[in-house]
Amino acid sequence: MRFLAPLLLSSLSLMANTALLEIYTNKAFLTQRFDVGSGVFETTLPEFVHNDTLFIRTPCATKEITIGTPTKANTPLQAQIETATQTLQTARQQLLALEAKERLLERVAFTNSSFGDLQKNAEGFTTLALETLAAKNDQEEVVNRAQEALDLLTAKHTTSNVKPLSLSLTCNAPSMLEIRFEIPNLQANRVNTFTGESVEGRLAVTQSLFVSHTLGEDLNNIALRLYSFGYNHSLTPVPFYPQYVGLPETLPMMRTMALKSTAESTQDVAGTPVELESKEAWEASGVTLPSGERTQVVFHQQRVFAQYGVEVDGYGTAMAYMRASFTPETTIEPAMANFVLDGMLLGERSNVQFLAAEEAHIYFGKHDLIDVEKKLVRNFTTESGFGSTKTTERMWRYTVTNRSSKSQKIDFLERLPLSSHEKVVIKRLGDAPDTLDAEGKARWNFTLGAGEKRTLEFGYTQSEPIAK
């Protein structure tokens, strides 16, 4: 296929001006743009492109759009595949010859030979058999390597065929032609890397995209646009229907459509967030994506101030976690993320979206030098004298110990249950928290010196009527 190759138009040799690769969460499309004028425009398309998946856009009058029958692609990759195929065939033939020689040796018989001749012939036969076996083993390795080389090349393309495309254009002036089609089997994975520097109080964030395709030809110096939404997603609002109160609700039948789900190199591309008329996207230019390789495209990097501390989730695992609080300069999109703290790779997990200029928090795993002991010290239920109300009382005691050699800021969280009924009454017990919000999040903030510990108690009573 001749992506970005010279094309014929009214006997003029032209080049594709630009190419744009658009990647949605469920599809990918390639758009090629050409300067055109009146005349016949010819190029080739991948075999998987059909009339219903081809989009042509131009201000010129277009007629006689013809997509021909598939032919063998004339590309550097196809030439490499043919050479590798011939190399494999030659290696296999040489292996067959050695196997035939081995079978011939198996049928050799020594008859009417004296003892001395027999011994001499046997020694020569043994030497020849060993040489043949060694040559066969070596040739098998040659065949395996030739097969692996061919497999690597064929994995770089979905099809080895292309289709000729011919357009007849009538233009009032020099114009632009856009050819757009979907690219199947394109893999695109977002990966973020959070690199914490606790001593410097900094956090570096790298947003990358790993892309691989099997078009069979490299995409060179293209623009790449990355969307955080799916193709065909939320194109229209929910239809409006009148609401009738007090009558059986009758709605017209609605049709629903399900959306389809869908060697490495790295490029430090200066990507930028782009605000379209109603969408946000990431865009980078000058991108090269070799066919059959997994390429890392670095869209954005930022290094911001961060405040590091320890958070203890008493309501959950009751363990201490290293936390970084920061305000991103640019929005950080959801992705699978790698977490590195002070040069140590800790692991990976997905991150939610962090909006620009809004405070965010990320975690760098368990803090092994902060011990948390949780003990249930009170758990019993009493009933009122008339047996109409029961009250459950629960209390936990926490002991937080700093085993590190420096002071640590601790943010301790617990959860106070919330009543969903006026007859259910919740009262807090134990040490008063520094803050208690409307969602029941109780928070204590304190600092522990090296080797220091603190004990606090938290609990509540829950009173409710006894069901009869």
Side-chain angles (χ1 to χ4, degrees):
M1 72 192 69
R2 292 182 290 157
F3 294 122
L4 311 179
L7 306 174
L8 294 177
L9 178 61
S10 298
S11 72
L12 295 178
S13 178
L14 299 177
M15 293 285 289
N17 292 356
T18 59
L20 170 66
L21 176 62
E22 296 175 284
I23 300 178
Y24 298 80
T25 58
N26 58 348
K27 286 181 181 293
F29 295 88
L30 181 66
T31 300
Q32 295 176 271
R33 301 186 179 100
F34 304 88
D35 287 330
V36 296
S38 296
V40 177
F41 177 91
E42 294 180 345
T43 186
T44 55
L45 301 171
E47 185 180 17
F48 53 76
V49 179
H50 303 281
N51 279 319
D52 57 344
T53 60
L54 178 65
F55 303 89
I56 297 176
R57 180 184 178 187
T58 180
C60 303
T62 306
K63 60 181 180 179
E64 297 179 8
I65 302 176
T66 304
I67 298 180
T69 57
T71 59
K72 187 68 68 174
N74 182 20
T75 63
L77 175 61
Q78 190 59 35
Q80 293 174 5
I81 290 176
E82 292 174 358
T83 300
T85 301
Q86 184 59 49
T87 300
L88 177 61
Q89 291 176 349
T90 302
R92 285 176 172 170
Q93 290 173 354
Q94 292 175 350
L95 178 60
L96 290 174
L98 289 171
E99 289 175 344
K101 182 178 180 180
E102 185 180 41
R103 290 192 298 271
L104 179 62
L105 291 175
E106 291 175 353
R107 293 195 295 269
V108 171
F110 301 102
T111 58
N112 300 322
S113 299
S114 65
F115 179 79
D117 292 339
L118 181 61
Q119 184 178 18
K120 182 179 179 180
N121 292 336
E123 291 175 354
F125 177 82
T126 301
T127 300
L128 182 59
L130 291 175
E131 291 175 350
T132 303
L133 180 60
K136 175 187 172 184
N137 292 337
D138 291 342
Q139 192 60 32
E140 287 177 345
E141 289 296 325
V142 172
V143 170
N144 291 336
R145 288 195 298 269
Q147 183 67 63
E148 291 174 359
L150 178 60
D151 292 342
L152 288 175
L153 291 173
T154 55
K156 291 186 176 184
H157 67 182
T158 301
T159 174
S160 60
N161 294 330
V162 294
K163 295 177 178 178
L165 170 67
S166 177
L167 308 176
S168 179
L169 303 176
T170 302
C171 308
N172 295 327
S175 304
M176 179 72 69
L177 170 67
E178 291 186 349
I179 298 177
R180 184 174 187 257
F181 53 85
E182 182 182 353
I183 301 179
N185 302 325
L186 182 140
Q187 300 293 325
N189 299 309
R190 284 181 179 267
V191 176
N192 296 334
T193 300
F194 295 89
T195 303
E197 304 165 4
S198 62
V199 177
E200 294 82 0
R202 289 281 194 168
L203 175 68
V205 184
T206 301
Q207 299 188 69
S208 301
L209 181 72
F210 286 84
V211 188
S212 63
H213 68 87
T214 53
L215 286 173
E217 190 163 344
D218 298 346
L219 298 177
N220 295 307
N221 197 31
I222 67 170
L224 194 157
R225 184 174 292 171
L226 177 64
Y227 303 112
S228 59
F229 53 90
Y231 182 74
N232 276 344
H233 178 66
S234 299
L235 293 182
T236 61
V238 175
F240 177 86
Y241 300 105
Q243 181 179 10
Y244 299 95
V245 179
L247 296 176
E249 185 175 353
T250 302
L251 295 177
M253 295 181 62
M254 298 174 58
R255 296 182 179 179
T256 59
M257 180 171 59
L259 295 178
K260 296 181 180 179
S261 302
T262 60
E264 297 192 3
S265 59
T266 302
Q267 297 182 50
D268 292 326
V269 177
T272 56
V274 178
E275 184 174 327
L276 307 176
E277 184 65 26
S278 65
K279 301 288 186 181
E280 286 187 343
W282 288 89
E283 188 169 288
S285 59
V287 179
T288 295
L289 302 176
S291 183
E293 295 185 13
R294 191 168 183 256
T295 303
Q296 180 184 8
V297 180
V298 179
F299 269 93
H300 191 268
Q301 293 177 310
Q302 56 183 309
R303 192 167 181 260
V304 297
F305 291 104
Q307 183 176 3
Y308 290 86
V310 178
E311 181 176 309
V312 178
D313 64 333
Y315 59 89
T317 62
M319 294 193 300
Y321 297 88
M322 192 69 174
R323 184 187 67 192
S325 302
F326 67 103
T327 301
E329 298 172 349
T330 304
T331 297
I332 302 172
E333 300 294 346
M336 183 58 66
N338 298 312
F339 293 85
V340 182
L341 180 62
D342 298 329
M344 179 172 54
L345 180 62
L346 300 176
E348 64 177 16
R349 66 179 182 276
S350 59
N351 70 269
V352 298
Q353 184 184 59
F354 300 122
L355 297 178
E358 293 189 8
E359 186 179 20
H361 307 281
I362 61 170
Y363 298 88
F364 289 95
K366 183 177 179 294
H367 197 305
D368 293 332
L369 300 179
I370 304 296
D371 292 335
V372 181
E373 180 184 359
K374 179 178 182 179
K375 184 177 181 181
L376 181 62
V377 294
R378 197 179 308 166
N379 184 21
F380 60 87
T381 301
T382 59
E383 295 184 4
S384 63
F386 299 99
S388 59
T389 304
K390 68 175 181 179
T391 301
T392 300
E393 183 175 338
R394 293 187 177 91
M395 179 77 75
W396 289 269
R397 180 179 297 122
Y398 295 92
T399 302
V400 184
T401 304
N402 177 17
R403 295 192 297 105
S404 70
S405 58
K406 60 181 181 180
S407 297
Q408 300 286 347
K409 294 180 179 180
I410 308 297
D411 188 11
F412 188 96
L413 305 179
E414 246 298 358
R415 179 170 54 203
L416 182 67
L418 302 177
S419 173
S420 60
H421 195 281
E422 62 180 3
K423 293 184 178 181
V424 178
V425 179
I426 306 293
K427 293 183 178 180
R428 181 189 55 79
L429 299 175
D431 298 326
D434 296 323
T435 60
L436 177 62
D437 64 20
E439 293 183 339
K441 181 183 288 186
R443 185 187 299 269
W444 291 260
N445 298 111
F446 52 90
T447 299
L448 291 180
E452 189 179 355
K453 68 173 59 177
R454 174 170 175 176
T455 299
L456 60 86
E457 292 186 342
F458 171 81
Y460 60 90
T461 60
Q462 178 178 333
S463 300
E464 57 188 84
I466 299 176
K468 295 183 179 180

